[in-house]
Amino acid sequence: MSLQHIVDAANQLAREGKKPSVALIKSRVTQPASLREIIETLKKWTFDPDASVPTADKPTVATTAELTDPIAALIAKEIAAVRAEIGPLRQEVNELKAEIIFLKQTLLTQ
């Protein structure tokens, strides 16, 4: 089960200018989620809104076959490189979004 729907709800609330809380997220999630999942995911989201969300049904440890397969190792290496490139871009997008919101609010108050 993916917890991405919880992160999506938190991001939607943040875009609306609201501080995500357990109750607000619970009212926004589109899939069933326990309070424990919401609380833990919200804690992680609060610390780093751009962090990837692990799925509960997929192990994060590579299997023995993946470790011995050179193609799988190469793919894993390339995926890590892409993630390293995407991280700063996500941060920049978030900073630009925040700046746009600030500029809109500034224009509306003038």
Side-chain angles (χ1 to χ4, degrees):
M1 177 173 89
S2 174
L3 303 175
Q4 185 62 43
H5 64 286
I6 298 171
V7 172
D8 293 342
N11 286 332
Q12 181 184 17
L13 288 164
R15 282 191 299 272
E16 294 172 5
K18 299 176 184 173
K19 183 179 180 191
S21 67
V22 174
L24 286 173
I25 290 174
K26 183 74 173 168
S27 69
R28 296 280 180 109
V29 291
T30 58
Q31 299 173 9
S34 70
L35 286 177
R36 185 176 141 254
E37 291 173 331
I38 293 173
I39 291 167
E40 289 178 4
T41 305
L42 181 59
K43 283 181 185 177
K44 292 175 187 173
W45 180 89
T46 302
F47 179 72
D48 185 5
D50 297 321
S52 63
V53 178
T55 57
D57 60 340
K58 293 184 180 178
T60 56
V61 178
T63 63
T64 307
E66 290 173 334
L67 294 175
T68 58
D69 184 8
I71 294 175
L74 180 61
I75 291 171
K77 178 182 171 188
E78 293 302 318
I79 288 173
V82 168
R83 284 185 178 156
E85 289 181 32
I86 290 175
L89 295 174
R90 284 185 176 168
Q91 178 65 30
E92 186 176 358
V93 167
N94 286 332
E95 290 171 3
L96 291 170
K97 286 179 182 178
E99 188 174 342
I100 288 170
I101 290 169
F102 173 76
L103 291 172
K104 282 182 180 179
Q105 291 173 347
T106 303
L107 286 173
L108 292 174
T109 59
Q110 290 182 352

